[in-house]
Amino acid sequence: MVEAQTWKTRRMSNPRLDATATTTTTTDDQVLNIPATPPGDVRNTYYSLGSKLSPNLLTALIIASWFMSNIGVLLLNKYLLSFYGFRYPIFLTMLHMISCAAYSYIAINFLEIVPRQHILSRKQFFKILALSTIFCFSVVCGNTSLRYIPVSFNQAIGATTPFFTAIFAFLITCKKETAEVYFALLPVVFGIVLASNSEPLFNLFGFLVCIGSTAGRALKSVVQGILLTSEAEKLHSMNLLLYMAPMAALILLPFTLYIEGNVARITLEKGKSDSFIVFLLIGNATVAYLVNLTNFLVTKHTSALTLQVLGNAKAAVAAFVSVMIFRNPVTVMGMTGFAVTIMGVVLYREAKKRSKVTIH
């Protein structure tokens, strides 16, 4: 039997049933030709500008947007924290989190880019809170490092994420990799040592907090894989950001008030005399969200592996663009160390793929 339903009582029903649904029933061998209402992401695809573009052109535009947003947020952070004089990395990170929370709410609840998922239990809530704490630590350290070291050196250190991921995976889950995988990590470490020794603007504190940011990013990926393992607890990346971002903002609030003083009042006063700071902060926070959105779109239209490959290219492009804009000095040895690190990351990922094929 087909359950009687009306447009008024169920949103997904067909309004053409209103006149007959309450009085007519069907037998099992009858077929009602009622087209299913497409989900939000399909509807958006049909009626968006992307539906008028060829798939290849759409993918190219998404990848270009990914590059611009990722490199843009790095350059804006560097400009704000080092050159413009806005020396409040914790407050800046909190603005990023508020922006991500607001834009994620709009994207999921109004634009319906992905279906809304809900936190199902207190246990799941605390797991997401733990991830938010690690996320805060990583982002704050990354932004703080940009006050003290060039973007090029920041990206070289960030490329060592696979090294820390392998360490945390072994320490936390006792997961061992093949000898080939561990061997591939050697050039990752050697390259960053080479780049550090030849970095003209080397700053020990900036180097250490950047290492902390890279380690935090790796720890988050490992912990996320452990905490949200069951199908019931798994959250789409956009939904996870929707819940993590406001938690992270609340975590950062007492720290920015205690460490950075009355930064909100200072920012408002500065905004009254210099409206450009308002434009910079709003633009910076918006681009910070676009980084997360384009990460999702690149993975959706290509693959997670493509995103990893693009990450390597992004580090090199960001380093080059930052040198062109900020004119920070570089050495041949530093560039060689960066190249060795990137080569090690590529070798590591290839070794990981081969080890997975061998296991299966």
Side-chain angles (χ1 to χ4, degrees), residues 74-92:
L74 280 169
L75 298 181
L76 282 171
N77 286 345
K78 179 66 178 177
Y79 178 74
L80 273 166
L81 296 168
S82 293
F83 294 90
Y84 194 79
F86 189 80
R87 304 184 183 280
Y88 308 106
I90 302 176
F91 181 73
L92 183 63

Side-chain angles (χ1 to χ4, degrees), residues 83-128:
F83 294 90
Y84 194 79
F86 189 80
R87 304 184 183 280
Y88 308 106
I90 302 176
F91 181 73
L92 183 63
T93 306
M94 189 179 74
L95 291 181
H96 288 180
M97 296 301 102
I98 294 172
S99 168
C100 286
Y103 284 125
S104 294
Y105 185 83
I106 294 171
I108 293 175
N109 291 280
F110 294 98
L111 301 180
E112 298 181 342
I113 292 178
V114 297
R116 175 71 181 270
Q117 293 173 288
H118 298 277
I119 297 177
L120 301 176
S121 65
R122 182 179 298 180
K123 183 178 180 182
Q124 187 185 22
F125 171 84
F126 283 110
K127 288 179 178 180
I128 297 173

Side-chain angles (χ1 to χ4, degrees), residues 5-193:
Q5 49 190 329
T6 66
W7 181 259
K8 294 179 181 178
T9 57
R10 290 210 179 179
R11 181 183 173 188
M12 301 298 287
S13 305
N14 193 313
R16 289 177 293 177
L17 292 178
D18 285 348
T20 60
T22 57
T23 59
T24 303
T25 59
T26 63
T27 58
D28 292 339
D29 59 346
Q30 289 177 305
V31 178
L32 292 178
N33 186 20
I34 303 173
T37 303
D41 55 342
V42 176
R43 295 198 303 272
N44 289 336
T45 301
Y46 289 157
Y47 299 109
S48 66
L49 177 63
S51 62
K52 300 178 183 179
L53 303 175
S54 68
N56 291 337
L57 180 57
L58 179 60
T59 301
L61 289 174
I62 290 171
I63 291 175
S65 300
W66 181 87
F67 265 103
M68 287 189 291
S69 59
N70 274 269
I71 295 174
V73 76
L74 280 169
L75 298 181
L76 282 171
N77 286 345
K78 179 66 178 177
Y79 178 74
L80 273 166
L81 296 168
S82 293
F83 294 90
Y84 194 79
F86 189 80
R87 304 184 183 280
Y88 308 106
I90 302 176
F91 181 73
L92 183 63
T93 306
M94 189 179 74
L95 291 181
H96 288 180
M97 296 301 102
I98 294 172
S99 168
C100 286
Y103 284 125
S104 294
Y105 185 83
I106 294 171
I108 293 175
N109 291 280
F110 294 98
L111 301 180
E112 298 181 342
I113 292 178
V114 297
R116 175 71 181 270
Q117 293 173 288
H118 298 277
I119 297 177
L120 301 176
S121 65
R122 182 179 298 180
K123 183 178 180 182
Q124 187 185 22
F125 171 84
F126 283 110
K127 288 179 178 180
I128 297 173
L129 181 61
L131 288 175
S132 300
T133 304
I134 301 171
F135 185 53
C136 284
F137 174 79
S138 175
V139 178
V140 169
C141 286
N143 287 340
T144 302
S145 71
L146 290 172
R147 278 190 59 187
Y148 301 95
I149 61 176
V151 173
S152 54
F153 191 36
N154 173 281
Q155 290 299 285
I157 298 171
T160 62
T161 302
F163 171 75
F164 291 100
T165 302
I167 291 176
F168 287 127
F170 176 74
L171 293 176
I172 297 174
T173 67
C174 297
K175 179 183 177 182
K176 295 182 179 180
E177 303 288 354
T178 62
E180 183 184 10
V181 171
Y182 287 124
F183 182 76
L185 289 172
L186 293 179
V188 174
V189 178
F190 176 72
I192 199 61
V193 170

Side-chain angles (χ1 to χ4, degrees), residues 12 30 49-50 58 63 98 103 107 121 123 145 190 197 208 228 235 240 255 258-259 270 295 326-327 338 354 356:
M12 301 298 287
Q30 289 177 305
L49 177 63
L58 179 60
I63 291 175
I98 294 172
Y103 284 125
S121 65
K123 183 178 180 182
S145 71
F190 176 72
N197 286 335
L208 291 177
L228 303 178
L235 291 174
L240 184 60
F255 286 97
Y258 179 75
I259 297 174
K270 191 171 181 64
N295 280 348
F326 299 121
R327 302 293 180 180
F338 191 7
R354 284 193 290 270
K356 289 179 181 178

